[in-house]
Amino acid sequence: MLTLKDRERAFENKYAHDAEMLFKAQARRNRLVGLWAADLMGLEGDAATDYAKQVVKADFEEHGTEAVVRKLVGDLGDKADEQTVRDKMEEQLTVAKAQIVEES
């Protein structure tokens, strides 16, 4: 029979797991959006990969979606507006979550 402590421990484990999965999905989303932006800027190969890494790093340096949005909007200039970047980030978060689930 589950005790209150067992239920609490299970809840804490689920919370930790969900937080870890969200972190991974956001990092992957940032990489995918970085590759999308690199393509818009005409970057290919290693240059595109390096740019995607910079986008991921932007989130680590100043945690949060807004830091990534500012970087992308600033770098893309007239190639994509803020709403387009936000829409792409939302789209890629869905893709990233699906990829992570598929890999599990």
Side-chain angles (χ1 to χ4, degrees):
M1 188 162 143
L2 287 177
T3 66
L4 187 56
K5 286 272 189 206
D6 292 334
R7 290 180 66 194
E8 183 179 333
R9 195 171 304 116
F11 179 76
E12 288 171 355
N13 288 340
K14 181 182 180 337
Y15 179 82
H17 176 264
D18 290 350
E20 179 182 355
M21 296 306 285
L22 181 59
F23 173 79
K24 287 179 180 180
Q26 288 172 334
R28 185 172 298 207
R29 172 210 57 200
N30 293 342
R31 183 178 61 80
L32 293 170
V33 172
L35 291 171
W36 165 78
D39 184 55
L40 288 179
M41 293 185 287
L43 301 174
E44 297 177 351
D46 289 342
T49 302
D50 290 343
Y51 181 76
K53 288 178 185 176
Q54 290 174 23
V55 173
V56 172
K57 188 177 176 183
D59 190 20
F60 291 135
E61 289 174 350
E62 183 186 336
H63 183 69
T65 300
E66 294 307 309
V68 176
V69 170
R70 275 193 307 276
K71 173 164 184 49
L72 290 167
V73 169
D75 292 349
L76 288 171
D78 63 350
K79 291 177 178 56
D81 63 8
E82 183 176 336
Q83 189 57 51
T84 302
V85 169
R86 288 183 187 282
D87 291 346
K88 184 55 88 168
M89 288 178 72
E90 187 175 326
E91 173 189 315
Q92 294 304 321
L93 182 60
T94 302
V95 171
K97 286 178 179 178
Q99 288 177 353
I100 289 171
V101 167
E102 202 174 280
E103 293 170 0
S104 298

